[in-house]
Amino acid sequence: MSYFNDPIEFRQPVTFTGDAAAAGAIIQYASKAFLLASITAGTLTFTNGTDIPANAIIHGAYIKTTTAPTFGGTTTGLNAKIGTAADDDGYGQAISIASTAGIKIPEPGARRGVINTTQDVVVAFTATGGAASLAEVTAGAGTVYIAYSLAPV
């Protein structure tokens, strides 16, 4: 076995074999951008087997807002949670994505670390404050990131 303590730069795709690949130890990220239309529709979906691999183990999720949401009417805030149709906060509990742009990391949900065999990962947007309505969100954009690894086969 060889050990390297020097940084290595890869300029082409790399395939790992042996213990690291067998253990599924490599964390990968799936990302999907959202715009105002996604927010007002109420959901953003990562399709299982297309946007994320089938049988992936979801380790966590976070949201990076690039355009802070703004509001009209009586709506004053916007939350997002990350889960599935059966458990809407299974990977990330509700977190405010309003105010300033930047990274928002939700508290983990009960499905974190579970093999996701068949379910899509769904990001649900919810307006808060006053007579809250997603129709009163006037701006907002960002990207949702899902951290996963593949189970050993």
Side-chain angles (χ1 to χ4, degrees), residues 96-121:
S96 172
I97 61 170
S99 69
T100 60
I103 295 175
K104 318 294 187 199
I105 302 173
E107 290 294 322
R111 291 191 51 81
R112 188 180 74 166
V114 175
I115 291 180
N116 184 29
T117 55
T118 60
Q119 298 184 30
D120 294 341
V121 175

Side-chain angles (χ1 to χ4, degrees), residues 12-152:
Q12 295 183 10
V14 175
T15 300
F16 293 92
T17 60
D19 293 341
I26 301 169
I27 300 293
Q28 300 178 62
Y29 291 88
S31 63
K32 197 167 230 191
F34 63 90
L35 301 171
L36 179 59
S38 306
I39 295 170
T40 56
T43 61
L44 176 73
T45 301
F46 287 78
T47 303
N48 190 57
T50 303
D51 298 320
I52 56 170
N55 299 318
I57 300 169
I58 309 291
H59 295 284
Y62 70 93
I63 300 169
K64 180 179 180 184
T65 54
T66 51
T67 302
T70 57
F71 313 98
T74 61
T75 298
T76 58
L78 181 66
N79 286 346
K81 52 188 169 182
I82 304 166
T84 66
D87 185 357
D88 66 357
D89 65 353
Y91 299 118
Q93 297 178 23
I95 188 168
S96 172
I97 61 170
S99 69
T100 60
I103 295 175
K104 318 294 187 199
I105 302 173
E107 290 294 322
R111 291 191 51 81
R112 188 180 74 166
V114 175
I115 291 180
N116 184 29
T117 55
T118 60
Q119 298 184 30
D120 294 341
V121 175
V122 179
V123 182
F125 299 101
T126 308
T128 62
S133 169
L134 290 174
E136 294 181 345
V137 180
T138 57
T143 305
V144 177
Y145 295 88
I146 307 294
Y148 68 90
S149 65
L150 299 176

